[in-house]
Amino acid sequence: MSMSRARVARRIASAAAYGGGGVGLLGGAALGVLLTEVALARRVVGGHNDAPPRADGRYGSSFVHRLGHEPLLLGVLGDSTAAGQGVHRPRQTPGALLASGLAAVAERPVELRNVALSGAQSHDLERQVTMLLSDPARTPDVCVIMIGANDVTHRMPFARSVRLLSDAVRRLREAGCEVIVGTCPDLGTLEPVYQPLRWLARKLSRQLAAAQTIGVLEAGGRTVSLGALLGPEFEQNPRELFGPDNYHPSAEGYATAAMAVLPTLCAALGYWPEDEERPDATRREGILPVARAAAEAAAEGGTEVTATRGRWALLKHRRRQRLPAHTEATPHHVWSRARREA
């Protein structure tokens, strides 16, 4: 299955690179069923129109006294998952969790600027990148992008989706910013969604995630798969990890995803232990062809893919610290403990 997904992902990425259109992944009848079920699922899950809490600002204020250390600037782009839709406190959003974690690991303040937009598709990334780069004197040190789910549900051709994401990553990299992309989550995990949508949504989500990985690596970024991470764990604990609308993650769900992204975020800036950068065969890490690494990562959440040379990539399963199910995210304590135990 992973080899087949690798071939499809490479076809999509190639079409994106050469300006091609969509790549047919499902027949018309199957796609019609998928879209009908998506519409029904949206009515079932409902949701709310509350704006995500604003979490922009400075984190790690206890490190301000360290002379010669300007705050790191963390940019967050993407859709409702990146914005933190579904929670009510700023500290529960993925941006705040990542900013707090990065501050604790780097031991310096982190300034968060989140330009993500609920409902955004990949074509909105151009606007979001322009917002982040509007002040040439204050370019982000690192950016995290979470995008893709709305591209699937709104029938955006995957080649176009990957091309738009790759263009955004390339612009940020050319501006001197490190980039980590949380690839398309597994839409087959939505609790009110039934077959055949569950199988089809999972298939499409993983194919887009794998293609995104190829495009992002070629543009100079890194990826962390969110798909299966938000799959088995969400399926087993839907009441804990989904929010009140049964569609967006809860505070615990966002913390789970953020803890998978944090090690890659820190490693991109050189703040993760050096011995963690070497592949560990006991954790099934190693160097693989890019397309195969992308396909394998799409099937297992929390997997990092980083380009090495040519068409080869490093596949890593970084350790992450799980939050107790009964607690609310407390960023500084959690991240400090995760760093000690890494």
Side-chain angles (χ1 to χ4, degrees):
M1 180 66 71
S2 64
M3 291 302 294
S4 174
R5 189 181 302 121
R7 286 193 294 270
V8 172
R10 174 54 71 185
R11 284 171 49 213
I12 296 170
S14 297
Y18 292 103
V23 176
L25 301 177
L26 291 173
L31 183 57
V33 171
L34 171 61
L35 296 174
T36 300
E37 292 288 343
V38 166
L40 291 172
R42 280 178 174 162
R43 286 200 290 271
V44 171
V45 301
H48 52 77
N49 296 320
D50 295 343
R54 296 296 300 174
D56 288 21
R58 185 167 293 188
Y59 294 76
S61 57
S62 61
F63 301 114
V64 170
H65 67 279
R66 294 185 174 235
L67 299 177
H69 287 281
E70 290 294 320
L72 293 167
L73 179 55
L74 167 64
V76 176
L77 311 85
D79 55 23
S80 58
T81 302
Q85 186 80 44
V87 295
H88 301 288
R89 297 186 179 123
R91 68 172 183 245
Q92 297 172 328
T93 64
L97 290 165
L98 290 171
S100 298
L102 178 58
V105 173
E107 297 185 345
R108 59 187 290 187
V110 174
E111 182 180 341
L112 171 66
R113 188 176 182 201
N114 193 327
V115 297
L117 177 67
S118 293
Q121 299 174 51
S122 290
H123 57 65
D124 193 57
L125 289 176
E126 181 179 8
R127 181 190 65 83
Q128 295 181 28
V129 170
T130 298
M131 290 178 64
L132 279 181
L133 300 182
S134 60
D135 182 1
R138 196 68 180 101
T139 301
D141 296 282
V142 62
C143 286
V144 174
I145 303 174
M146 298 180 182
I147 199 81
N150 295 317
D151 293 358
V152 174
T153 59
H154 287 77
R155 303 179 64 178
M156 178 181 289
F158 282 4
R160 181 171 181 240
S161 173
V162 172
R163 182 166 63 253
L164 291 167
L165 174 59
S166 300
D167 289 345
V169 173
R170 193 169 290 107
R171 282 184 66 193
L172 291 168
R173 292 292 292 133
E174 289 173 351
C177 177
E178 297 291 339
V179 183
I180 296 93
V181 173
T183 54
C184 182
D186 186 350
L187 297 179
T189 61
L190 299 180
E191 192 184 16
V193 172
Y194 305 104
Q195 298 291 8
L197 172 61
R198 187 177 296 274
W199 179 85
L200 294 172
R202 174 161 294 149
K203 177 183 178 72
L204 290 172
S205 301
R206 291 184 177 183
Q207 287 176 338
L208 178 56
Q212 285 178 321
T213 293
I214 297 174
V216 169
L217 264 59
E218 291 177 347
R222 305 182 184 205
T223 64
V224 177
S225 59
L226 300 181
L229 172 69
L230 306 185
E233 294 181 24
F234 270 51
E235 288 175 328
Q236 291 168 16
N237 304 288
R239 298 304 180 189
E240 296 174 0
L241 298 177
F242 277 119
D245 61 5
N246 286 337
Y247 191 89
H248 294 98
S250 65
E252 292 293 338
Y254 279 128
T256 301
M259 281 187 286
V261 174
L262 178 69
T264 302
L265 174 63
C266 295
L269 294 171
Y271 288 118
W272 209 244
E274 289 186 7
D275 58 354
E276 276 282 302
E277 298 308 300
R278 293 189 292 271
D280 185 344
T282 64
R283 285 187 280 175
R284 295 174 291 109
E285 298 177 347
I287 296 176
L288 300 171
V290 169
R292 182 180 165 194
E296 293 199 8
E300 184 169 355
T303 305
E304 174 191 320
V305 183
T306 309
T308 53
R309 298 185 304 274
R311 291 185 175 271
W312 297 88
L314 174 61
L315 188 79
K316 290 189 67 66
H317 303 284
R318 294 186 184 274
R319 295 185 181 94
R320 66 182 190 272
Q321 184 69 32
R322 188 187 301 270
L323 280 176
H326 63 280
T327 65
E328 184 177 323
T330 52
H332 185 87
H333 169 71
V334 172
W335 300 133
S336 297
R337 184 177 63 183
R339 186 188 182 202
R340 290 196 303 270
E341 296 183 6

